[in-house]
Amino acid sequence: MTKKTSLDSIPVFDLNDFEKDKEKFAREFGQAFHDYGFVRIKNHGIDESTIEDAEDVIRKFFQMDDDKKTKYSFPEHQYQVGFTKNNEMANGQTKADLKEYFMVCRDKRREADVKTPETPEIDELPKFREDTYSLYYEFNKLVSKVLKPLAMHMGEQEDWFEKRNDKSEDMMRMIHYPSGGNAASHTDMSLLTILRAEKPGLFVTTRTGEELEVTAKPGELILNGGKALAALTNNYFKPSYHRVDVKSKAPRQTIVYFAHINSDCMLD
């Protein structure tokens, strides 16, 4: 684990270190989640080409005219799949975030019994589903890796969290923020969130109320815990508030994977 500096304020972990010394890794990894709510990881096992292919195809989607993009908008599914624009509002806010995004759910061709809506084919982009699903399922595998040390940190078996996530209806959100775009301060509802974000604009509020701008370096991903993780740990892994503010002239594109708990998992 790197030491905290003015530039690296959120700890970074090499996932290869877990197998070298599981107890030490779990102790430090879990402590960082407890202290920050956010960490950065490297050597996560996802090929850069898989991430770049998904980024490229969604960039092409967002470059399409609005009338074409809205063909893939599904208000009847509460925008839980497909395209939506400027319609999400954080709790306590009176103004919607300035952003557009596309939501990908599990592939019904692989998992016919899932309840989330079918992710649509994009007529204008024949490789859209192939490239986004490739990344979705790589993120899905990564979730089980990072849940293991968190479970160990809590004194449980490695698969304690994984058994409560292995049938979950996870979602991947690909977001486009225009210059001046934003997402109001909020915490996630998820068990765990994985974020691909190498451009500035993400601000995390620390336990002491300080706000830190967090940017992943090349090859890194950002992880944070959500309200479900907090509920399963009696708020030991407390989620941190975070927001997005795009101050650059260029737009900001990110990919976010929300890992949830199984529908039959009790939070009591």
PDB file of all heavy atoms in Angstrom, residues 201-215:
ATOM      1  N   GLY A 201     -12.239  15.322 -11.853  1.00  0.00           N
ATOM      2  CA  GLY A 201     -13.649  15.673 -11.729  1.00  0.00           C
ATOM      3  C   GLY A 201     -14.382  14.972 -10.615  1.00  0.00           C
ATOM      4  O   GLY A 201     -15.484  15.370 -10.249  1.00  0.00           O
ATOM      5  N   LEU A 202     -13.775  13.901 -10.035  1.00  0.00           N
ATOM      6  CA  LEU A 202     -14.402  13.182  -8.931  1.00  0.00           C
ATOM      7  C   LEU A 202     -13.891  13.745  -7.609  1.00  0.00           C
ATOM      8  O   LEU A 202     -12.678  13.812  -7.374  1.00  0.00           O
ATOM      9  CB  LEU A 202     -14.075  11.692  -9.014  1.00  0.00           C
ATOM     10  CG  LEU A 202     -14.534  10.828  -7.829  1.00  0.00           C
ATOM     11  CD1 LEU A 202     -16.051  10.804  -7.717  1.00  0.00           C
ATOM     12  CD2 LEU A 202     -13.975   9.410  -7.950  1.00  0.00           C
ATOM     13  N   PHE A 203     -14.822  14.137  -6.732  1.00  0.00           N
ATOM     14  CA  PHE A 203     -14.473  14.705  -5.435  1.00  0.00           C
ATOM     15  C   PHE A 203     -15.088  13.850  -4.332  1.00  0.00           C
ATOM     16  O   PHE A 203     -16.307  13.612  -4.327  1.00  0.00           O
ATOM     17  CB  PHE A 203     -14.973  16.144  -5.335  1.00  0.00           C
ATOM     18  CG  PHE A 203     -14.324  17.078  -6.332  1.00  0.00           C
ATOM     19  CD1 PHE A 203     -14.839  17.219  -7.616  1.00  0.00           C
ATOM     20  CD2 PHE A 203     -13.185  17.792  -5.985  1.00  0.00           C
ATOM     21  CE1 PHE A 203     -14.242  18.062  -8.533  1.00  0.00           C
ATOM     22  CE2 PHE A 203     -12.577  18.642  -6.903  1.00  0.00           C
ATOM     23  CZ  PHE A 203     -13.111  18.778  -8.185  1.00  0.00           C
ATOM     24  N   VAL A 204     -14.241  13.393  -3.405  1.00  0.00           N
ATOM     25  CA  VAL A 204     -14.663  12.525  -2.314  1.00  0.00           C
ATOM     26  C   VAL A 204     -14.557  13.285  -0.992  1.00  0.00           C
ATOM     27  O   VAL A 204     -13.533  13.928  -0.713  1.00  0.00           O
ATOM     28  CB  VAL A 204     -13.798  11.255  -2.250  1.00  0.00           C
ATOM     29  CG1 VAL A 204     -14.169  10.403  -1.034  1.00  0.00           C
ATOM     30  CG2 VAL A 204     -13.948  10.442  -3.535  1.00  0.00           C
ATOM     31  N   THR A 205     -15.604  13.208  -0.177  1.00  0.00           N
ATOM     32  CA  THR A 205     -15.587  13.834   1.137  1.00  0.00           C
ATOM     33  C   THR A 205     -15.062  12.836   2.157  1.00  0.00           C
ATOM     34  O   THR A 205     -15.601  11.741   2.310  1.00  0.00           O
ATOM     35  CB  THR A 205     -17.001  14.298   1.544  1.00  0.00           C
ATOM     36  OG1 THR A 205     -17.479  15.230   0.565  1.00  0.00           O
ATOM     37  CG2 THR A 205     -16.969  14.982   2.903  1.00  0.00           C
ATOM     38  N   THR A 206     -14.005  13.210   2.861  1.00  0.00           N
ATOM     39  CA  THR A 206     -13.388  12.320   3.837  1.00  0.00           C
ATOM     40  C   THR A 206     -14.196  12.296   5.131  1.00  0.00           C
ATOM     41  O   THR A 206     -15.144  13.061   5.317  1.00  0.00           O
ATOM     42  CB  THR A 206     -11.953  12.777   4.161  1.00  0.00           C
ATOM     43  OG1 THR A 206     -12.010  14.030   4.869  1.00  0.00           O
ATOM     44  CG2 THR A 206     -11.140  12.949   2.885  1.00  0.00           C
ATOM     45  N   ARG A 207     -13.793  11.421   6.044  1.00  0.00           N
ATOM     46  CA  ARG A 207     -14.478  11.312   7.338  1.00  0.00           C
ATOM     47  C   ARG A 207     -14.382  12.606   8.154  1.00  0.00           C
ATOM     48  O   ARG A 207     -15.238  12.880   8.991  1.00  0.00           O
ATOM     49  CB  ARG A 207     -13.879  10.176   8.160  1.00  0.00           C
ATOM     50  CG  ARG A 207     -13.829   8.819   7.458  1.00  0.00           C
ATOM     51  CD  ARG A 207     -15.195   8.305   7.110  1.00  0.00           C
ATOM     52  NE  ARG A 207     -15.136   6.921   6.664  1.00  0.00           N
ATOM     53  CZ  ARG A 207     -15.879   6.418   5.693  1.00  0.00           C
ATOM     54  NH1 ARG A 207     -16.742   7.195   5.057  1.00  0.00           N
ATOM     55  NH2 ARG A 207     -15.770   5.144   5.348  1.00  0.00           N
ATOM     56  N   THR A 208     -13.337  13.401   7.868  1.00  0.00           N
ATOM     57  CA  THR A 208     -13.147  14.655   8.610  1.00  0.00           C
ATOM     58  C   THR A 208     -13.807  15.845   7.915  1.00  0.00           C
ATOM     59  O   THR A 208     -13.693  16.971   8.389  1.00  0.00           O
ATOM     60  CB  THR A 208     -11.649  14.943   8.792  1.00  0.00           C
ATOM     61  OG1 THR A 208     -11.022  15.039   7.500  1.00  0.00           O
ATOM     62  CG2 THR A 208     -10.979  13.843   9.587  1.00  0.00           C
ATOM     63  N   GLY A 209     -14.483  15.584   6.778  1.00  0.00           N
ATOM     64  CA  GLY A 209     -15.156  16.655   6.070  1.00  0.00           C
ATOM     65  C   GLY A 209     -14.334  17.324   5.003  1.00  0.00           C
ATOM     66  O   GLY A 209     -14.831  18.200   4.279  1.00  0.00           O
ATOM     67  N   GLU A 210     -13.072  16.909   4.861  1.00  0.00           N
ATOM     68  CA  GLU A 210     -12.214  17.446   3.804  1.00  0.00           C
ATOM     69  C   GLU A 210     -12.652  16.865   2.463  1.00  0.00           C
ATOM     70  O   GLU A 210     -13.074  15.714   2.378  1.00  0.00           O
ATOM     71  CB  GLU A 210     -10.762  17.069   4.088  1.00  0.00           C
ATOM     72  CG  GLU A 210      -9.767  17.553   3.045  1.00  0.00           C
ATOM     73  CD  GLU A 210      -8.364  17.024   3.295  1.00  0.00           C
ATOM     74  OE1 GLU A 210      -8.211  16.167   4.206  1.00  0.00           O
ATOM     75  OE2 GLU A 210      -7.444  17.434   2.585  1.00  0.00           O
ATOM     76  N   GLU A 211     -12.554  17.634   1.384  1.00  0.00           N
ATOM     77  CA  GLU A 211     -12.902  17.146   0.057  1.00  0.00           C
ATOM     78  C   GLU A 211     -11.642  16.939  -0.767  1.00  0.00           C
ATOM     79  O   GLU A 211     -10.813  17.839  -0.898  1.00  0.00           O
ATOM     80  CB  GLU A 211     -13.846  18.111  -0.664  1.00  0.00           C
ATOM     81  CG  GLU A 211     -14.463  17.508  -1.911  1.00  0.00           C
ATOM     82  CD  GLU A 211     -15.594  18.360  -2.469  1.00  0.00           C
ATOM     83  OE1 GLU A 211     -15.301  19.489  -2.914  1.00  0.00           O
ATOM     84  OE2 GLU A 211     -16.753  17.908  -2.458  1.00  0.00           O
ATOM     85  N   LEU A 212     -11.494  15.737  -1.289  1.00  0.00           N
ATOM     86  CA  LEU A 212     -10.319  15.362  -2.058  1.00  0.00           C
ATOM     87  C   LEU A 212     -10.713  15.061  -3.494  1.00  0.00           C
ATOM     88  O   LEU A 212     -11.719  14.398  -3.743  1.00  0.00           O
ATOM     89  CB  LEU A 212      -9.655  14.120  -1.457  1.00  0.00           C
ATOM     90  CG  LEU A 212      -9.234  14.191   0.012  1.00  0.00           C
ATOM     91  CD1 LEU A 212      -8.780  12.820   0.489  1.00  0.00           C
ATOM     92  CD2 LEU A 212      -8.128  15.209   0.194  1.00  0.00           C
ATOM     93  N   GLU A 213      -9.927  15.542  -4.450  1.00  0.00           N
ATOM     94  CA  GLU A 213     -10.147  15.174  -5.843  1.00  0.00           C
ATOM     95  C   GLU A 213      -9.395  13.879  -6.123  1.00  0.00           C
ATOM     96  O   GLU A 213      -8.189  13.789  -5.886  1.00  0.00           O
ATOM     97  CB  GLU A 213      -9.680  16.274  -6.797  1.00  0.00           C
ATOM     98  CG  GLU A 213     -10.011  15.953  -8.251  1.00  0.00           C
ATOM     99  CD  GLU A 213      -9.876  17.159  -9.172  1.00  0.00           C
ATOM    100  OE1 GLU A 213      -9.267  18.152  -8.752  1.00  0.00           O
ATOM    101  OE2 GLU A 213     -10.406  17.098 -10.299  1.00  0.00           O
ATOM    102  N   VAL A 214     -10.114  12.878  -6.603  1.00  0.00           N
ATOM    103  CA  VAL A 214      -9.550  11.545  -6.791  1.00  0.00           C
ATOM    104  C   VAL A 214      -9.517  11.207  -8.278  1.00  0.00           C
ATOM    105  O   VAL A 214     -10.536  11.277  -8.962  1.00  0.00           O
ATOM    106  CB  VAL A 214     -10.379  10.484  -6.036  1.00  0.00           C
ATOM    107  CG1 VAL A 214      -9.808   9.088  -6.276  1.00  0.00           C
ATOM    108  CG2 VAL A 214     -10.407  10.803  -4.547  1.00  0.00           C
ATOM    109  N   THR A 215      -8.345  10.852  -8.752  1.00  0.00           N
ATOM    110  CA  THR A 215      -8.175  10.440 -10.144  1.00  0.00           C
ATOM    111  C   THR A 215      -7.360   9.160 -10.182  1.00  0.00           C
ATOM    112  O   THR A 215      -6.316   9.070  -9.532  1.00  0.00           O
ATOM    113  CB  THR A 215      -7.449  11.529 -10.957  1.00  0.00           C
ATOM    114  OG1 THR A 215      -8.161  12.757 -10.844  1.00  0.00           O
ATOM    115  CG2 THR A 215      -7.372  11.140 -12.434  1.00  0.00           C
TER     116      THR A 215
END
